[in-house]
Amino acid sequence: MSKPLERRMAVTGLEVREGSDALTLTGYASTFEQPYDMGWYAETVNSGAFKRTLGQSPDVRLLINHAGLPLARTASGTLTLDTDSRGLHVSATLDPSDPDVASLVPKMKRGDLSQMSFAFRTIEDIWAADMSARTLMALDLSDGDVSVVTYPAN
């Protein structure tokens, strides 16, 4: 049985840039080594958590609030994911004629939407002895998503 899909959100510098025929969305779907509150425990994403999954070229979609039709996708080449010292970096080429994109862009330009999230499966994690902290060591993004979100966590 496959592990359940988990979702975490990140407070990030999400932005959209207009070009001649397309829009480019960039931001961070996850940040590294910054504990965030999960209610009864603190969770941290390790800086190497995405190394294995990104090496396998996972099929990941860009969504809004983890739902709806994709705005971009790694399988189509319109979404790229990589990591740097800050976290999981997202870059997507958006179609300005897409109605979902058309409704998203003004909200981002006003600053109403400025955060991202990611959906993943845990491959490896480490819990503190008292269960007060969890470190995500290895994550699988295959058939998961990165999303522009209203409410972030990470």
Side-chain angles (χ1 to χ4, degrees), residues 29-125:
S30 174
T31 53
F32 297 143
E33 311 302 340
Q34 297 182 12
Y36 48 92
D37 185 16
M38 292 299 296
W40 57 274
Y41 66 95
E43 188 170 76
T44 303
V45 178
N46 179 275
S47 62
F50 300 103
K51 185 176 182 177
R52 182 182 324 166
T53 192
L54 292 180
Q56 298 169 342
S57 301
D59 188 10
V60 180
R61 289 111 176 124
L62 173 65
L63 304 176
I64 301 171
N65 287 319
H66 299 290
L69 297 171
L71 304 175
R73 187 172 176 178
T74 56
S76 70
T78 56
L79 173 64
T80 58
L81 304 172
D82 59 22
T83 58
D84 60 21
S85 61
R86 184 173 177 192
L88 178 64
H89 187 259
V90 174
S91 181
T93 302
L94 305 179
D95 178 357
S97 69
D98 180 327
D100 295 325
V101 171
S103 70
L104 176 70
V105 170
K107 293 167 182 63
M108 289 183 62
K109 285 182 177 179
R110 283 194 317 254
D112 298 336
L113 286 173
S114 61
Q115 297 153 326
M116 293 195 77
S117 173
F118 67 110
F120 63 94
R121 288 179 181 77
T122 303
I123 302 301
E124 180 185 352
D125 59 359

Side-chain angles (χ1 to χ4, degrees), residues 15 25 28 31 53 77:
E15 66 178 57
L25 176 141
Y28 287 86
T31 53
T53 192

